[in-house]
Amino acid sequence: MKKLVLAGILAAAGLTTSMNAQIQKGNWMVGSSLVTSNFGLNTGGGYQINLQPKGAYFVEDNVAVGGYVNLGIGKSSNTANTRFDYGVGALGRYYLSPGEQGVDNLLNHGRWFFEGNLGVGGYSISKGGNSTTGLDFGVGPGYSYFITPNIGLEGLVKYAGVTGFGNTGLTSNITFNLGFSIYLPTSKAKQVVNDVK
């Protein structure tokens, strides 16, 4: 029994140490968010699904910069026009360290972070509906729970907006995002690239 308890403690300590190592300078993060998804449950109900692939490189411990692509489609009902969302740009993340400014981890295997993005994006609605293209931006807090040392399940609440040209000058909303990210040391990323070649 003592060996089992000791093995459990060492495994937890190893997971926490590995988790901290994943957000250190020189590592990569790749993942995706499923953004503002909803499905109507009534007959003829609508849907809205956005997919946002992301990739970032840790330029410093706890600080990652990279890019994103936003692709989405939706309808408010079976008879409504179809809405297409799109965007591409840069993103940045800052992960809070345990104990930083009194911030404690909600769970032992997770990290709070702040994410911001800036790029070009917009939306268009079929059959002559409103549209806009311009500056795509967003900011908000999130939490990544590491189910393994290299894979994090993420939740993110984000203020997102598009301002620019078209029928609508500024559109903004609050999005609730769920997704995952894979954290790779640079050596592992190089190995994956070599395997693809």
Side-chain angles (χ1 to χ4, degrees):
M1 183 67 176
K2 288 181 184 178
K3 289 181 181 179
L4 184 61
V5 171
L6 181 59
I9 292 171
L10 290 175
L15 182 59
T16 303
T17 302
S18 297
M19 178 198 66
N20 292 336
Q22 299 310 322
I23 56 176
Q24 289 180 349
K25 181 178 180 177
N27 291 342
W28 290 89
M29 179 212 54
V30 293
S32 180
S33 291
L34 187 61
V35 184
T36 59
S37 63
N38 62 63
F39 300 91
L41 299 177
N42 298 339
T43 302
Y47 60 89
Q48 175 72 32
I49 300 173
N50 285 37
L51 184 65
Q52 190 175 72
K54 303 174 183 180
Y57 179 76
F58 285 87
V59 294
E60 293 291 334
D61 290 355
N62 301 331
V63 178
V65 295
Y68 71 95
V69 175
N70 185 32
L71 302 169
I73 187 169
K75 290 181 93 166
S76 58
S77 70
N78 282 344
T79 58
N81 295 342
T82 304
R83 175 180 166 138
F84 299 98
D85 292 283
Y86 52 89
V88 62
L91 73 86
R93 275 193 181 182
Y94 176 73
Y95 290 80
L96 299 175
S97 296
E100 186 173 304
Q101 293 293 324
V103 175
D104 293 323
N105 280 335
L106 178 63
L107 301 169
N108 289 333
H109 303 295
R111 280 293 180 93
W112 291 101
F113 63 86
F114 289 101
E115 180 178 292
N117 67 279
L118 186 64
V120 176
Y123 68 88
S124 63
I125 299 177
S126 64
K127 300 177 186 172
N130 289 341
S131 68
T132 191
T133 299
L135 183 66
D136 182 38
F137 60 93
V139 65
Y143 187 79
S144 185
Y145 178 74
F146 292 89
I147 57 174
T148 73
N150 294 69
I151 300 174
L153 295 178
E154 297 184 346
L156 175 65
V157 177
K158 203 169 189 181
Y159 170 80
V162 176
T163 182
F165 310 102
N167 301 345
T168 308
L170 170 66
T171 59
S172 61
N173 56 11
I174 302 289
T175 62
F176 299 92
N177 313 303
L178 295 175
F180 70 95
S181 289
I182 299 171
Y183 296 81
L184 295 172
T186 301
S187 60
K188 294 281 186 190
K190 287 179 182 176
Q191 181 181 351
V192 170
V193 170
N194 290 335
D195 289 346
V196 171
K197 288 180 182 178

